[in-house]
Amino acid sequence: MGLQLYYTLVKFGAESALGTAVALSLIRELGPVLTALMVVGQAGSAMASELGIQRNDEQIDALQTMSIDPLGFLVGPRLVATLICFPILTAIFDLIGIFGGYLTGSVLLNVDSGVYWNRVFESVTWADVQGGYIKALVFGLLTISICAYRGYNTHRKASFPGVRGVSESATRAVVWSSVTVLAADYLITSFLM
Amino acid sequence: MDSFLKIRGLKKYFGDNRVLDGIDLDVTAASVMTIIGKSGIGKSVLLKCIANLLQPEAGIIELDGQAISQSRRNAQIDAGVSFSYMFQNNALFDSLTAFENVALPLREASKLNKAEIQERVDEMLVHLELSDSADRYPGELSGGMKKRVALGRALITKPQVVLFDEPTTGLDPERKFSVFEMIADYRERFGFTALLVSHDIPEVFEISDQVAWLDEGQIKFFGKPEDLNTNAQSALSGFLSKANYGLKSSPLNGANE
Ligand SMILES: Nc1ncnc2c1ncn2[C@@H]1O[C@H](COP(=O)(O)OP(=O)(O)OP(=O)(O)O)[C@@H](O)[C@H]1O
Ligand SMILES: [Mg+2]
């Protein structure tokens, strides 16, 4: 990305703006969105299929007969974990991205490193960071809800019983989560701007 | 005769498949009722309707004089009756050890503290001859061991009503006997009302007060195990004779009295 931006910026003789471009696009948009998509692909699909298997194996029914709330017991801890992890992962993603921008921009190409870091720190405001966190939290909440819903309702939603139903649930969970993340990103951005 | 569990006109269809087509059943308090019938006839479906896991098309189910409302998730709790269900396929949590599986209902749905839970579960595992396997996961247990873990989980809460779906299928004769003994023992100690599905004829009659034969969506025979021989309709005696339950009394009957 640093590379792409550099070549675009060079055309306008504005390669010194690389730091600004990298930092803002990462913190405002790409960090939360790409992190969410990555987590959906990994953890979201895993959760949907786990819940689907537990549904098929009657483990969810078993909880119900033990008077344990299945949603609270199975989804609750994951929800908490997601709300903690999403912002952290997003922050790590942002930092690595910005550092990557520095590597391509200053080490490989010839943007002055002082200028790069200066632009990064100058351009990013507290509001940008906050906006990124809001996105991360909302994406976390949305994706876990969708994946949990899909897995939990495997017996009702999937068109096949058994293993195929589980894989269908996992696929649907990923597709719907990803689409929802992108749509939500658009909405939140238009509210925050 | 006061019935603790009362079922009237229960119907459950899956599409065109009329699995339960007007079930009437009465189970007296603190008694054990065994349901027998062919595989695939709807025994598990009947238990699931009682446990409120399946919504019947029609019919009333009453626990202790209170109709359990099918719309509510914890109908048994609403009726103030503690309740447990041993699933035919065990339905153990594969991410929890045998110990944790048995402890689960106590941990999540009782007010006992950690030490009390530890003590009670340990005692249960000794009963089940599972002490050595307490830390193993269901994936590392044999089929019969899993069955016993599921039995432990069903009994650990000292429930008032227990539904057992084939608690002994797949166990060796000795273990089968000890599971039946355990059910009888717990029932003596805690006086639960049990509905039991089993193919282990005639052994299961040892611990049954009543037997109900489910066929073609209805209870076609209902009575004491002794009456099976004398009252049997031809279809029922056909079923029983295939289950090696003839007119002669069973060896177990003689041995235990
Ligand atoms: N979720 C379901 N959807 C559709 N049909 C079902 C469902 N559950 C059970 N059935 C059907 O209901 C009938 C009864 O099934 P059930 O599991 O109650 O049999 P069973 O008497 O317990 O047999 P077994 O002794 O083999 O356990 C079967 O024909 C089965 O195909
Ligand atoms: Mg069954």
Side-chain angles (χ1 to χ4, degrees), chain B residues 82-95:
Chain B
S82 67
F83 181 93
S84 67
Y85 189 143
M86 180 178 168
F87 286 79
Q88 184 169 2
N89 72 355
N90 306 323
L92 299 176
F93 279 85
D94 32 25
S95 54

Side-chain angles (χ1 to χ4, degrees), chain B residues 14 17 19 38-45 88 166 199:
Chain B
F14 292 104
N17 188 359
V19 178
K38 280 185 289 204
S39 190
I41 209 75
K43 303 181 296 298
S44 299
V45 170
Q88 184 169 2
E166 306 199 5
H199 292 297

Side-chain angles (χ1 to χ4, degrees), chain B residues 175-214:
Chain B
R175 293 270 159 59
K176 202 173 275 184
F177 191 74
S178 69
V179 163
F180 282 141
E181 248 182 356
M182 207 169 140
I183 293 176
D185 174 44
Y186 267 76
R187 173 224 181 161
E188 203 153 283
R189 278 160 59 193
F190 306 116
F192 59 60
T193 308
L195 206 56
L196 202 151
V197 170
S198 180
H199 292 297
D200 286 311
I201 302 167
E203 295 94 319
V204 63
F205 296 157
E206 271 301 293
I207 62 161
S208 314
D209 301 308
Q210 301 276 323
V211 177
W213 179 48
L214 177 64

